[in-house]
Amino acid sequence: MEDQAEKLREIMRQKSEGSNSHIAGTSYNRKGKYRPRIITVTSGKGGVGKTNIAVNMALAYARTGKKVVVMDADLGLANVNVMLRMTPRYNLYHVIRRQKTMKEIITETDYGISIVAGASGFSKIANLSEEERQYFIEELETLSNADTIIIDTSAGVSSNVLDFIAAADDAVIVTTPEPTAITDAYGIIKIIATEYDDLNLGLQLVVNRVKGSGDAKKVADRMITIAGQFLNLKVDYLGFIYDDPIVSQAVLKQKPFLAEDPRCKASICIQHIVGKLEKSEGRKSAGFSSMLKRLFGRS
Ligand SMILES: Nc1ncnc2c1ncn2[C@@H]1O[C@H](COP(=O)(O)OP(=O)(O)O)[C@@H](O)[C@H]1O
Ligand SMILES: [Mg+2]
């Protein structure tokens, strides 16, 4: 199992080596060929708002004219489609099992984004055969005509989650101000740090469900300081989202909150977050330093 995970990472690493620049959030590989920016949304604790953030970030991206795909990689509790009131016939399970291609299962929504539905109750990517894994990775590549791929993962640190993080340009780590959520978020950052000492990844912290920007800043400052001191890891503060009743109302209506009310507090925050992410450079600097490391044989 470990070998398989390592293989996937190696393929993803090779893929990322091709990438050497991010211009306004757009990625190009070494030959100047365009490739999508992959953003993984993850957390330590469940129920902190990952799926809402993934879906609504996608809508915010689409509003800037980008072609966006949301992939539901929460293989235990897949619910991107539920949040959009959709019941796609095929999902990632069929791709993983080689019954369908990614192109066949990708579904347009009414919100200007496409989704790849998750496989509820299916949590065994780690147990796939080598061939199945290889096929899955090749199929992932067919999403390459998107500008942005947002991957919604499950909470915690199953090897699946780590595999998806390994494939990403940015990992958006979601926490709330609750002490348990903060501890678990730190836990996942720590595992990412120990799993990948040569990490080519923008680590972006989002504090969700806050009462005010001051609360969020306190949580973020603490986490960033601790990650710097104890893990020697740079975590960026991407932003916060207000605790907003519109969010749960929208969830009940199975509609993204950004579509329900583009001017509500949560919508304004999410648009701000996407704007900031667009300005950030993703893998560029980390990619460059790891390239140097390889050049000088010090990795
Ligand atoms: N900013 C917010 N304001 C109010 N409620 C929120 C907010 N973010 C999330 N929630 C609530 O938390 C629930 C869980 O969110 P969800 O996105 O499904 O979390 P996760 O994917 O991390 O499990 C939502 O159904 C919603 O009711
Ligand atoms: Mg979720």
Side-chain angles (χ1 to χ4, degrees):
M1 192 184 97
E2 201 152 88
D3 287 352
Q4 288 187 345
E6 182 48 40
K7 183 108 196 268
L8 176 59
R9 280 176 208 124
E10 181 54 34
I11 289 163
M12 292 310 185
R13 241 179 256 134
Q14 283 165 7
K15 202 172 136 214
S16 74
E17 274 169 27
S19 135
N20 62 2
S21 69
H22 266 291
I23 297 163
T26 304
S27 319
Y28 297 84
N29 67 18
R30 222 173 353 218
K31 290 178 187 142
K33 194 170 163 280
Y34 169 85
R35 72 168 183 85
R37 185 173 189 170
I38 304 174
I39 302 165
T40 302
V41 180
T42 194
S43 71
K45 189 171 180 281
V48 294
K50 286 180 301 298
T51 304
N52 271 281
I53 289 172
V55 167
N56 288 281
M57 266 177 65
L59 261 77
Y61 261 110
R63 285 174 167 232
T64 70
K66 292 240 147 96
K67 192 166 180 292
V68 196
V69 179
V70 178
M71 188 165 106
D72 192 344
D74 185 344
L75 300 178
L77 295 165
N79 49 21
V80 167
N81 56 312
V82 178
M83 210 156 272
L84 297 166
R85 200 187 280 273
M86 292 174 73
T87 41
R89 204 149 150 220
Y90 301 109
N91 59 44
L92 272 181
Y93 176 85
H94 301 97
V95 177
I96 289 165
R97 285 292 172 215
R98 305 181 69 159
Q99 291 161 1
K100 293 281 158 197
T101 62
M102 196 66 95
K103 279 211 178 77
E104 286 170 318
I105 70 154
I106 193 163
T107 314
E108 301 271 328
T109 71
D110 296 337
Y111 304 106
I113 62 168
S114 304
I115 63 162
V116 170
S120 252
F122 180 81
S123 53
K124 296 274 187 290
I125 279 203
N127 295 349
L128 291 182
S129 73
E130 188 53 41
E131 259 170 86
E132 286 170 326
R133 229 166 219 274
Q134 192 59 45
Y135 177 76
F136 182 60
I137 294 161
E138 277 160 23
E139 283 302 305
L140 276 181
E141 299 266 4
T142 65
L143 297 178
S144 63
N145 61 345
D147 297 303
T148 312
I149 300 171
I150 300 179
I151 304 179
D152 181 24
T153 69
S154 51
V157 286
S158 69
S159 60
N160 291 343
V161 174
L162 289 172
D163 287 346
F164 286 112
I165 290 174
D169 296 288
D170 303 89
V172 171
I173 317 272
V174 183
T175 186
T176 67
E178 279 183 13
T180 45
I182 297 172
T183 311
D184 292 355
Y186 179 72
I188 198 162
I189 291 172
K190 190 169 168 183
I191 288 169
I192 293 171
T194 36
E195 274 283 312
Y196 311 106
D197 47 351
D198 186 16
L199 189 69
N200 267 350
L201 187 72
L203 282 174
Q204 314 271 3
L205 185 68
V206 169
V207 189
N208 188 21
R209 308 199 68 166
V210 301
K211 292 207 167 61
S213 60
D215 294 353
K217 182 90 174 46
K218 256 189 242 161
V219 171
D221 281 347
R222 220 170 76 211
M223 188 99 96
I224 287 164
T225 309
I226 295 174
Q229 273 176 3
F230 295 104
L231 306 173
N232 195 23
L233 206 62
K234 186 172 172 289
V235 177
D236 293 319
Y237 177 37
L238 186 59
F240 68 90
I241 303 167
Y242 284 109
D243 191 74
D244 184 343
I246 303 286
V247 175
S248 38
Q249 282 169 32
V251 169
L252 286 173
K253 287 191 185 170
Q254 292 182 274
K255 211 173 159 186
F257 60 77
L258 198 79
E260 176 70 7
D261 184 354
R263 298 165 88 167
C264 73
K265 281 173 145 185
S267 294
I268 290 172
C269 292
I270 210 93
Q271 289 177 91
H272 186 75
I273 282 171
V274 163
K276 202 163 160 200
L277 205 47
E278 275 295 84
K279 283 193 212 116
S280 78
E281 298 189 324
R283 267 184 199 263
K284 181 187 168 191
S285 46
F288 186 64
S289 70
S290 64
M291 186 192 83
L292 286 181
K293 260 195 211 161
R294 274 190 296 275
L295 271 179
F296 295 105
R298 267 190 287 126
S299 63

